[in-house]
DNA sequence: AACATCAGTGCAACAGAAGTGCATTTAGTG
DNA sequence: CACTAAATGCACTTCTGTTGCACTGATGTT
Protein backbone atom coordinates (compact mmCIF):
# COMPACT_ATOMS: atom_id res chain seq x y z
CA UNK A 1 0.00 0.00 0.00
CA UNK A 2 1.38 3.39 -0.98
CA UNK A 3 1.81 6.38 1.28
CA UNK A 4 -1.18 8.14 -0.25
CA UNK A 5 -3.43 5.13 0.18
CA UNK A 6 -2.49 5.07 3.85
CA UNK A 7 -3.24 8.77 4.19
CA UNK A 8 -6.69 8.34 2.72
CA UNK A 9 -7.47 5.31 4.84
CA UNK A 10 -6.33 7.06 8.00
CA UNK A 11 -9.11 9.54 7.37
CA UNK A 12 -11.66 6.83 6.53
CA UNK A 13 -11.63 7.59 2.82
CA UNK A 14 -11.57 4.51 0.63
CA UNK A 15 -8.60 4.89 -1.70
CA UNK A 16 -10.15 4.46 -5.13
CA UNK A 17 -8.18 5.00 -8.31
CA UNK A 18 -9.80 8.36 -8.97
CA UNK A 19 -9.28 9.60 -5.44
CA UNK A 20 -5.63 8.69 -5.49
CA UNK A 21 -5.18 10.54 -8.76
CA UNK A 22 -6.88 13.64 -7.41
CA UNK A 23 -4.91 13.55 -4.20
CA UNK A 24 -1.67 13.14 -6.13
CA UNK A 25 -2.57 16.04 -8.37
CA UNK A 26 -3.27 18.32 -5.43
CA UNK A 27 -0.09 17.21 -3.69
CA UNK A 28 1.91 18.03 -6.81
CA UNK A 29 0.76 21.65 -6.79
CA UNK A 30 1.81 24.20 -4.24
CA UNK A 31 -1.26 26.30 -4.88
CA UNK A 32 -4.93 25.88 -4.15
CA UNK A 33 -6.89 24.29 -6.99
CA UNK A 34 -10.38 24.82 -8.33
CA UNK A 35 -12.73 22.11 -9.50
CA UNK A 36 -12.14 23.25 -13.06
CA UNK A 37 -8.38 22.97 -12.63
CA UNK A 38 -8.66 19.29 -11.83
CA UNK A 39 -11.20 18.82 -14.58
CA UNK A 40 -8.75 20.25 -17.10
CA UNK A 41 -5.83 18.29 -15.71
CA UNK A 42 -7.53 14.97 -16.43
CA UNK A 43 -9.64 15.45 -19.49
CA UNK A 44 -11.14 12.04 -18.88
CA UNK A 45 -12.58 13.13 -15.53
CA UNK A 46 -16.21 13.63 -14.74
CA UNK A 47 -17.14 16.93 -13.07
CA UNK A 48 -19.54 15.36 -10.62
CA UNK A 49 -17.06 12.80 -9.43
CA UNK A 50 -14.46 15.47 -8.82
CA UNK A 51 -17.03 17.61 -7.06
CA UNK A 52 -18.08 14.82 -4.74
CA UNK A 53 -14.53 13.69 -4.19
CA UNK A 54 -13.57 17.14 -3.00
CA UNK A 55 -16.63 17.20 -0.75
CA UNK A 56 -15.63 13.90 0.75
CA UNK A 57 -12.04 15.00 1.17
CA UNK A 58 -13.23 18.11 2.94
CA UNK A 59 -15.63 16.31 5.25
CA UNK A 60 -12.94 13.87 6.23
CA UNK A 61 -10.37 16.58 6.84
CA UNK A 62 -8.06 15.84 3.94
CA UNK A 63 -8.51 19.22 2.28
CA UNK A 64 -9.93 22.58 3.22
CA UNK A 65 -12.03 24.84 1.07
CA UNK A 66 -10.76 28.33 0.39
CA UNK A 67 -12.75 31.40 -0.49
CA UNK A 68 -10.21 33.74 -2.03
CA UNK A 69 -12.66 36.35 -3.24
CA UNK A 70 -12.75 35.21 -6.85
CA UNK A 71 -16.10 33.52 -6.29
CA UNK A 72 -14.53 30.26 -7.37
CA UNK A 73 -14.05 27.72 -4.60
CA UNK A 74 -10.50 26.53 -4.24
CA UNK A 75 -9.18 23.56 -2.30
CA UNK A 76 -5.84 22.75 -0.76
CA UNK A 77 -4.50 19.73 1.06
CA UNK A 78 -4.42 20.05 4.81
CA UNK A 79 -0.97 20.05 6.33
CA UNK A 80 -0.11 17.15 8.64
CA UNK A 81 -0.89 19.08 11.83
CA UNK A 82 -3.84 20.99 10.44
CA UNK A 83 -6.97 21.31 12.56
CA UNK A 84 -9.32 22.55 9.89
CA UNK A 85 -12.13 20.25 10.98
CA UNK A 86 -12.57 22.08 14.23
CA UNK A 87 -11.92 25.57 12.88
CA UNK A 88 -8.72 25.81 14.83
CA UNK A 89 -6.29 26.31 11.99
CA UNK A 90 -7.20 29.78 10.84
CA UNK A 91 -4.25 30.50 8.63
CA UNK A 92 -4.60 33.16 6.01
CA UNK A 93 -4.53 32.91 2.24
CA UNK A 94 -2.93 34.98 -0.44
CA UNK A 95 -4.38 35.59 -3.86
CA UNK A 96 -2.16 36.94 -6.61
CA UNK A 97 -3.90 39.36 -8.93
CA UNK A 98 -1.29 38.75 -11.59
CA UNK A 99 -1.08 34.96 -11.98
CA UNK A 100 -4.43 34.35 -10.25
CA UNK A 101 -2.89 31.71 -8.00
CA UNK A 102 -4.00 31.25 -4.43
CA UNK A 103 -1.70 29.89 -1.77
CA UNK A 104 -1.98 28.90 1.86
CA UNK A 105 0.23 30.87 4.21
CA UNK A 106 0.07 28.12 6.76
CA UNK A 107 2.45 29.77 9.19
CA UNK A 108 0.48 32.99 9.26
CA UNK A 109 -2.51 32.71 11.56
CA UNK A 110 -5.40 35.13 11.58
CA UNK A 111 -4.95 37.48 14.52
CA UNK A 112 -7.59 37.54 17.20
CA UNK A 113 -10.17 40.28 16.72
CA UNK A 114 -12.19 41.98 19.42
CA UNK A 115 -15.79 42.21 18.30
CA UNK A 116 -18.52 44.57 19.49
CA UNK A 117 -20.76 43.47 22.35
CA UNK A 118 -23.09 40.63 21.38
CA UNK A 119 -21.15 39.32 18.42
CA UNK A 120 -19.89 35.74 18.70
CA UNK A 121 -17.07 34.64 16.39
CA UNK A 122 -17.03 31.05 15.21
CA UNK A 123 -14.90 31.21 12.12
CA UNK A 124 -12.83 33.67 10.16
CA UNK A 125 -11.49 34.17 6.69
CA UNK A 126 -8.63 36.46 5.84
CA UNK A 127 -7.42 36.85 2.29
CA UNK A 128 -4.59 39.14 1.28
CA UNK A 129 -4.62 40.18 -2.36
CA UNK A 130 -1.59 41.44 -4.16
CA UNK A 131 1.43 40.14 -6.04
CA UNK A 132 2.95 36.79 -5.13
CA UNK A 133 6.65 36.07 -4.75
CA UNK A 134 7.01 34.49 -8.19
CA UNK A 135 5.31 37.39 -9.94
CA UNK A 136 7.09 40.14 -8.00
CA UNK A 137 10.51 38.87 -9.10
CA UNK A 138 9.91 39.64 -12.76
CA UNK B 1 -32.59 69.13 -4.45
CA UNK B 2 -32.66 66.50 -1.72
CA UNK B 3 -29.74 65.37 0.38
CA UNK B 4 -29.45 62.11 -1.55
CA UNK B 5 -29.43 63.87 -4.91
CA UNK B 6 -26.59 66.01 -3.67
CA UNK B 7 -24.68 62.96 -2.47
CA UNK B 8 -24.98 61.30 -5.85
CA UNK B 9 -23.99 64.39 -7.76
CA UNK B 10 -20.98 64.96 -5.53
CA UNK B 11 -19.70 61.63 -6.81
CA UNK B 12 -20.58 62.41 -10.44
CA UNK B 13 -23.52 60.05 -10.49
CA UNK B 14 -26.60 61.41 -12.21
CA UNK B 15 -29.46 61.19 -9.75
CA UNK B 16 -32.09 59.32 -11.71
CA UNK B 17 -35.31 58.11 -10.10
CA UNK B 18 -34.13 54.52 -9.96
CA UNK B 19 -30.75 55.41 -8.49
CA UNK B 20 -32.32 57.51 -5.78
CA UNK B 21 -34.65 54.66 -4.88
CA UNK B 22 -31.80 52.19 -4.68
CA UNK B 23 -29.68 54.55 -2.62
CA UNK B 24 -32.58 55.18 -0.26
CA UNK B 25 -33.18 51.48 0.11
CA UNK B 26 -29.56 50.80 0.96
CA UNK B 27 -29.50 53.71 3.38
CA UNK B 28 -32.56 52.32 5.14
CA UNK B 29 -30.85 49.02 5.89
CA UNK B 30 -28.06 48.60 8.37
CA UNK B 31 -26.82 45.47 6.65
CA UNK B 32 -25.14 44.78 3.34
CA UNK B 33 -27.54 43.96 0.52
CA UNK B 34 -27.35 41.59 -2.40
CA UNK B 35 -28.60 42.29 -5.89
CA UNK B 36 -31.46 39.89 -5.27
CA UNK B 37 -32.44 41.74 -2.10
CA UNK B 38 -32.99 44.94 -4.04
CA UNK B 39 -34.73 43.05 -6.80
CA UNK B 40 -37.20 41.64 -4.29
CA UNK B 41 -37.66 44.96 -2.55
CA UNK B 42 -38.94 46.62 -5.73
CA UNK B 43 -40.74 43.97 -7.71
CA UNK B 44 -40.94 46.39 -10.56
CA UNK B 45 -37.17 46.59 -10.90
CA UNK B 46 -35.10 45.22 -13.72
CA UNK B 47 -32.13 43.05 -12.72
CA UNK B 48 -29.77 44.54 -15.26
CA UNK B 49 -30.49 48.08 -14.19
CA UNK B 50 -29.84 47.22 -10.57
CA UNK B 51 -26.71 45.38 -11.55
CA UNK B 52 -25.33 48.28 -13.51
CA UNK B 53 -26.44 50.79 -10.92
CA UNK B 54 -24.47 48.97 -8.26
CA UNK B 55 -21.47 48.83 -10.59
CA UNK B 56 -21.70 52.55 -11.16
CA UNK B 57 -22.13 53.25 -7.46
CA UNK B 58 -19.06 51.17 -6.74
CA UNK B 59 -16.91 52.79 -9.41
CA UNK B 60 -17.85 56.22 -8.16
CA UNK B 61 -17.16 55.31 -4.54
CA UNK B 62 -20.71 55.42 -3.26
CA UNK B 63 -20.79 51.78 -2.19
CA UNK B 64 -18.28 49.02 -1.66
CA UNK B 65 -18.63 45.41 -2.65
CA UNK B 66 -18.37 42.79 0.06
CA UNK B 67 -17.37 39.19 -0.30
CA UNK B 68 -18.68 37.53 2.83
CA UNK B 69 -17.99 33.96 1.81
CA UNK B 70 -21.52 33.13 0.73
CA UNK B 71 -20.58 33.49 -2.93
CA UNK B 72 -23.20 36.16 -3.26
CA UNK B 73 -21.86 39.66 -3.73
CA UNK B 74 -23.14 42.12 -1.19
CA UNK B 75 -22.96 45.89 -1.24
CA UNK B 76 -23.02 48.53 1.44
CA UNK B 77 -22.99 52.29 1.37
CA UNK B 78 -19.64 53.87 2.07
CA UNK B 79 -19.47 55.88 5.24
CA UNK B 80 -18.81 59.64 4.87
CA UNK B 81 -15.07 59.34 5.54
CA UNK B 82 -14.61 56.05 3.73
CA UNK B 83 -11.64 55.64 1.44
CA UNK B 84 -12.70 52.47 -0.32
CA UNK B 85 -11.64 53.76 -3.72
CA UNK B 86 -8.01 53.73 -2.79
CA UNK B 87 -8.13 50.56 -0.70
CA UNK B 88 -7.43 52.50 2.44
CA UNK B 89 -10.51 51.66 4.40
CA UNK B 90 -9.95 48.02 5.17
CA UNK B 91 -12.58 47.48 7.80
CA UNK B 92 -13.76 43.97 8.46
CA UNK B 93 -17.15 42.39 7.90
CA UNK B 94 -19.24 40.06 9.96
CA UNK B 95 -21.52 37.41 8.55
CA UNK B 96 -24.14 35.83 10.80
CA UNK B 97 -24.69 32.14 10.16
CA UNK B 98 -28.08 32.35 11.79
CA UNK B 99 -29.88 35.25 10.10
CA UNK B 100 -27.50 35.32 7.12
CA UNK B 101 -27.03 39.06 7.45
CA UNK B 102 -23.72 40.72 6.70
CA UNK B 103 -22.68 43.94 8.39
CA UNK B 104 -19.80 46.36 8.12
CA UNK B 105 -17.77 46.74 11.28
CA UNK B 106 -16.52 50.09 10.14
CA UNK B 107 -14.60 50.83 13.31
CA UNK B 108 -12.69 47.55 13.19
CA UNK B 109 -9.80 47.78 10.76
CA UNK B 110 -7.92 44.79 9.42
CA UNK B 111 -4.64 44.53 11.32
CA UNK B 112 -1.43 44.78 9.38
CA UNK B 113 0.01 41.40 8.40
CA UNK B 114 3.65 40.61 7.80
CA UNK B 115 3.96 38.56 4.65
CA UNK B 116 6.77 36.27 3.55
CA UNK B 117 9.59 37.68 1.44
CA UNK B 118 8.47 38.63 -2.06
CA UNK B 119 4.76 38.95 -1.38
CA UNK B 120 3.27 42.39 -1.96
CA UNK B 121 -0.07 43.19 -0.34
CA UNK B 122 -2.45 45.48 -2.17
CA UNK B 123 -5.78 44.66 -0.64
CA UNK B 124 -7.24 42.51 2.10
CA UNK B 125 -10.52 40.95 3.04
CA UNK B 126 -11.36 39.77 6.53
CA UNK B 127 -14.70 38.21 7.30
CA UNK B 128 -15.66 36.95 10.73
CA UNK B 129 -18.45 34.38 10.74
CA UNK B 130 -20.55 33.64 13.75
CA UNK B 131 -23.66 34.91 15.51
CA UNK B 132 -24.59 38.56 15.32
CA UNK B 133 -25.76 40.70 18.22
CA UNK B 134 -29.45 40.45 17.34
CA UNK B 135 -29.33 36.67 17.07
CA UNK B 136 -27.22 36.07 20.18
CA UNK B 137 -29.77 37.84 22.37
CA UNK B 138 -32.46 35.24 21.76
C1' DA C 1 -18.86 -19.25 -6.33
C1' DA C 2 -23.20 -16.90 -5.95
C1' DC C 3 -25.53 -13.45 -3.69
C1' DA C 4 -26.83 -9.19 -1.31
C1' DT C 5 -25.36 -4.70 -0.17
C1' DC C 6 -23.57 -0.33 -0.48
C1' DA C 7 -20.18 3.11 -1.80
C1' DG C 8 -18.53 5.19 -5.88
C1' DT C 9 -19.14 6.76 -10.51
C1' DG C 10 -21.26 8.61 -14.92
C1' DC C 11 -24.80 11.06 -17.29
C1' DA C 12 -28.27 14.44 -17.53
C1' DA C 13 -30.48 18.08 -16.04
C1' DC C 14 -31.27 22.18 -13.06
C1' DA C 15 -30.47 26.53 -10.23
C1' DG C 16 -28.58 30.83 -9.30
C1' DA C 17 -25.61 34.57 -10.05
C1' DA C 18 -23.03 37.21 -13.10
C1' DG C 19 -22.39 39.28 -17.30
C1' DT C 20 -23.18 41.03 -22.44
C1' DG C 21 -25.47 42.89 -26.83
C1' DC C 22 -28.70 45.61 -28.62
C1' DA C 23 -32.87 48.23 -29.09
C1' DT C 24 -35.49 51.75 -26.79
C1' DT C 25 -36.38 55.34 -23.66
C1' DT C 26 -35.04 59.24 -20.94
C1' DA C 27 -32.66 63.27 -19.63
C1' DG C 28 -29.49 67.13 -20.43
C1' DT C 29 -27.84 70.86 -24.00
C1' DG C 30 -28.14 74.33 -27.41
C1' DC D 1 -37.87 71.78 -30.48
C1' DA D 2 -33.86 68.91 -32.19
C1' DC D 3 -29.67 66.53 -31.04
C1' DT D 4 -26.83 63.59 -28.32
C1' DA D 5 -25.29 60.71 -24.76
C1' DA D 6 -26.56 58.32 -20.79
C1' DA D 7 -29.69 55.18 -18.69
C1' DT D 8 -32.88 51.51 -18.92
C1' DG D 9 -35.33 47.15 -20.45
C1' DC D 10 -35.27 42.70 -22.61
C1' DA D 11 -33.22 38.60 -24.23
C1' DC D 12 -29.80 35.68 -24.03
C1' DT D 13 -25.39 33.49 -22.59
C1' DT D 14 -21.87 31.66 -19.50
C1' DC D 15 -20.10 29.62 -15.53
C1' DT D 16 -20.12 27.36 -11.12
C1' DG D 17 -22.26 24.63 -8.17
C1' DT D 18 -25.70 21.08 -7.19
C1' DT D 19 -28.96 17.14 -7.36
C1' DG D 20 -31.45 12.80 -9.10
C1' DC D 21 -31.07 8.54 -10.84
C1' DA D 22 -29.20 4.67 -12.97
C1' DC D 23 -25.20 1.80 -13.33
C1' DT D 24 -20.86 -0.28 -11.87
C1' DG D 25 -17.65 -2.31 -8.98
C1' DA D 26 -15.88 -3.57 -4.58
C1' DT D 27 -16.84 -5.94 -0.06
C1' DG D 28 -18.48 -9.30 2.92
C1' DT D 29 -21.50 -13.49 3.80
C1' DT D 30 -23.50 -17.81 3.14
MN1 LIG E 1 -5.18 27.05 3.38
MN1 LIG F 1 -18.10 47.35 4.65
ZN1 LIG G 1 1.43 35.55 -8.92
ZN1 LIG H 1 -27.86 37.17 12.96
Amino acid sequence: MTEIEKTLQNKSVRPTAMRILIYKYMASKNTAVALTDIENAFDKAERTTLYRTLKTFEEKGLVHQIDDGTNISKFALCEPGCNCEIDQDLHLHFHCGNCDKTVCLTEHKIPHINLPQGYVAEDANLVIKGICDSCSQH
Side-chain angles (χ1 to χ4, degrees), chain A:
Chain A
M1 198 190 308
T2 72
E3 205 59 38
I4 290 181
E5 290 179 83
K6 272 185 223 156
T7 308
L8 297 192
Q9 249 174 9
N10 281 345
K11 300 276 190 174
S12 317
V13 174
R14 302 228 310 245
T16 69
M18 201 65 216
R19 285 171 175 175
I20 294 170
L21 277 177
I22 296 174
Y23 193 95
K24 263 187 196 159
Y25 173 73
M26 294 184 75
S28 76
K29 315 218 30 161
N30 55 354
T31 62
V33 298
L35 186 59
T36 311
D37 296 332
I38 313 181
E39 202 181 358
N40 294 337
F42 314 98
D43 45 44
K44 185 73 185 52
E46 172 60 28
R47 237 186 121 65
T48 315
T49 305
L50 302 178
Y51 172 75
R52 287 197 261 238
T53 299
L54 287 173
K55 277 268 177 172
T56 304
F57 279 9
E58 194 198 2
E59 282 161 13
K60 297 305 174 66
L62 281 165
V63 308
H64 59 281
Q65 190 167 359
I66 303 164
D67 167 33
D68 61 6
T70 61
N71 275 346
I72 298 172
S73 287
K74 307 276 171 64
F75 297 86
L77 293 187
C78 290
E79 305 271 320
C82 166
N83 296 315
C84 288
E85 314 102 272
I86 51 174
D87 286 337
Q88 291 282 326
D89 187 77
L90 297 177
H91 60 269
L92 62 93
H93 295 102
F94 187 93
H95 177 249
C96 177
N98 187 56
C99 64
D100 196 40
K101 289 197 172 79
T102 299
V103 294
C104 297
L105 297 182
T106 317
E107 306 306 320
H108 294 66
K109 307 300 182 191
I110 300 180
H112 178 261
I113 305 282
N114 283 319
L115 294 173
Q117 182 71 22
Y119 286 84
V120 182
E122 292 172 346
D123 196 3
N125 181 37
L126 173 55
V127 180
I128 312 288
K129 300 161 217 256
I131 307 296
C132 76
D133 55 345
S134 308
C135 288
S136 69
Q137 284 170 3
H138 309 302

